[in-house]
Amino acid sequence: MEIDGADIRPFRIQIPQAELTALNDRLANTRWPDELPGVGWAYGVPISYLKGLAEYWRTSYDWRKYEAKLNNFPQFTTTIDGQNIHFMHVRSPEPDALPLIITHGWPGSIVEFMDIIGPLTDPRAHGGDPADAFHVVAPSMPGFGFSGPTRETGWDMARIARAWAVLMGRLGYERYGAQGGDTGSVISPMLGRIDSEHVVGVHVNGSLGFPSGDPAELAGLSDAEQARLAGMQWQMQDGTGYAIIQSTRPQTLGVGLSDSPAGQLAWIVEKFKEWTDPAAELPEDAVDRDLMLTNVSVYWLTGTATSAARLYKEGQASWGQQEQRSEVPSGVAVFPGDFGIRSIAERDNNVIHWSEFERGGHFPAMEVPDLLVDDVRTFFRGLR
């Protein structure tokens, strides 16, 4: 179809068998490093753990099964600002459904949304109220997966938000909501600011804004918020090595990630260990192992590890900058391990909804899809 002079092209995922064979060959011939005894995850991913996961990826995981599952969702591509954009577009059977654009982050992908699209688009079929239905648009961010790679510099988060506004207009949506986690929790509020005439509300999981450095801003925090602040400070000291590398030398890093599937697996699985529910001992205790490997496989099979990492380089200049206040209604869902602090969120946003949960983590669409779906429904119920 063609809308407003811009082509929207149907798309299906069809990875050549030769690519899957090559992946298996590379995994079988991995040159593994040594590891120190008794250090667990303190030095990074334990090689003894990673060997088992890589062998499962090579011998037991079935990409074709998940490729077919992904292809059950209608998918399209279009060109915006010179960049190919891939997206799922799943319309609800309910005629009065609210359009909703949902945005992933790094190291996520559209795979994150496989378990929430059905309940969001067709609540009647999932034990919910049909009045809560959404038409879901789930793009792959530029440089990620089937929207990658990027071909020029400048694809920072603000540019992505502007592209999302174009996309929703191109699909004919005059009123819509935005939801996101990780990088999506930054892009979705940006979209609300850029397209406030059309965005009825913004829901994020994680946090909405960061401390400005003013000590008065942190006065009077609850015990739970103090714990989140301590977690944020620990993360800045011990857990940001990946971000520093991706924001300074993504091309150098990309050589290893593009050549070694075991390296790509380690780079992503480490974050699934650190960012999922703190109660989970291993990543697959929080997220279905095959779903996690599908997410890793999307990066590997599309060859977009480098272009995805470049998002950090592109966005580095805006890190920590305070945003102009937005009056678009905003909602926040805080899961264990997240850093959400309400007073900071309210500084720059019109927060009308705040939820805190005792289970889940940074990837709630994969970890606790029921909780995330219910919170999204609740937030938007009064904004339709």
Side-chain angles (χ1 to χ4, degrees):
M1 59 180 159
E2 186 170 309
I3 299 175
D4 296 334
D7 287 335
I8 295 178
R9 304 171 290 272
F11 178 84
R12 283 182 62 82
I13 302 169
Q14 295 176 304
I15 299 299
Q17 184 59 41
E19 293 291 330
L20 302 179
T21 301
L23 166 60
N24 288 346
D25 289 345
R26 284 175 178 267
L27 287 170
N29 292 293
T30 300
R31 183 185 181 192
W32 295 102
D34 71 309
E35 64 177 331
L36 296 171
V39 299
W41 290 76
Y43 283 63
V45 181
I47 301 305
S48 53
Y49 164 78
L50 194 67
K51 281 183 176 179
L53 187 59
E55 183 65 7
Y56 177 85
W57 191 15
R58 185 180 76 86
T59 61
S60 300
Y61 168 76
D62 184 356
W63 163 260
R64 292 298 185 203
K65 174 182 175 181
Y66 286 88
E67 181 182 69
K69 287 187 174 185
L70 286 166
N71 281 331
N72 284 334
F73 300 110
Q75 297 173 65
F76 305 87
T77 61
T78 191
T79 303
I80 300 175
D81 197 10
Q83 174 65 31
N84 176 65
I85 301 294
H86 162 265
F87 60 100
M88 296 176 176
H89 183 200
V90 186
R91 288 187 59 84
S92 172
E94 307 296 337
D96 296 327
L98 176 69
L100 179 70
I101 183 168
I102 54 179
T103 305
H104 64 82
W106 184 92
S109 68
I110 57 166
V111 173
E112 287 185 63
F113 306 134
M114 291 176 67
D115 290 336
I116 67 172
I117 289 177
L120 288 174
T121 57
D122 194 2
R124 188 192 302 268
H126 292 82
D129 184 346
D132 289 328
F134 297 92
H135 300 307
V136 170
V137 179
S140 299
M141 286 199 298
F144 287 68
F146 304 102
S147 285
T150 45
R151 303 293 184 184
E152 61 181 1
T153 60
W155 274 103
D156 60 8
M157 289 180 283
R159 188 173 177 183
I160 294 172
R162 291 193 295 270
W164 283 186
V166 172
L167 176 60
M168 295 304 278
R170 190 170 289 180
L171 293 173
Y173 292 137
E174 292 294 323
R175 295 180 73 255
Y176 64 93
Q179 201 282 329
D182 192 84
T183 311
S185 72
V186 180
I187 292 173
S188 298
M190 284 182 173
L191 177 56
R193 289 176 170 88
I194 288 168
D195 200 21
S196 59
E197 292 183 5
H198 301 107
V199 176
V200 301
V202 172
H203 180 282
V204 304
N205 52 275
S207 61
L208 193 59
F210 297 93
S212 65
D214 181 359
E217 194 173 72
L218 304 178
L221 298 184
S222 69
D223 290 346
E225 289 173 329
Q226 291 281 7
R228 288 183 207 130
L229 182 62
M232 183 188 303
Q233 291 168 341
W234 177 87
Q235 174 73 11
M236 295 302 293
Q237 293 169 1
D238 193 70
T240 56
Y242 79 96
I244 294 170
I245 293 173
Q246 294 192 161
S247 65
T248 57
R249 300 294 184 269
Q251 204 68 37
T252 306
L253 170 68
V255 175
L257 298 186
S258 297
D259 190 59
S260 169
Q264 175 72 93
L265 180 65
W267 195 244
I268 291 179
V269 164
E270 179 188 274
K271 298 309 157 200
F272 274 83
K273 161 62 176 174
E274 293 184 351
W275 296 351
T276 50
D277 192 328
E281 183 177 350
L282 294 172
E284 57 265 40
D285 295 333
V287 173
D288 179 82
R289 178 169 56 178
D290 283 4
L291 207 57
M292 182 170 64
L293 288 173
T294 302
N295 181 69
V296 176
S297 296
V298 166
Y299 280 82
W300 176 262
L301 295 172
T302 60
T304 54
T306 307
S307 58
R310 286 199 294 261
L311 176 64
Y312 284 70
K313 178 74 170 175
E314 300 294 348
Q316 183 187 29
S318 64
W319 286 4
Q321 290 186 3
Q322 193 166 333
E323 292 279 1
Q324 180 180 354
R325 180 170 174 80
S326 170
E327 295 303 329
V328 173
S330 301
V332 182
V334 182
F335 293 90
D338 287 336
F339 306 136
I341 296 174
R342 184 160 189 167
S343 59
I344 292 174
E346 290 176 337
R347 181 191 63 205
D348 303 325
N349 302 276
N350 176 22
V351 177
I352 65 168
H353 173 89
W354 188 272
S355 299
E356 299 182 7
F357 297 94
E358 295 183 354
R359 61 185 176 95
H362 192 69
F363 304 95
M366 303 173 83
E367 298 179 66
V368 284
D370 56 328
L371 297 183
L372 181 62
V373 166
D374 184 65
D375 204 65
V376 171
R377 288 172 177 170
T378 300
F379 169 67
F380 281 104
R381 198 166 287 149
L383 300 174
R384 292 173 178 270

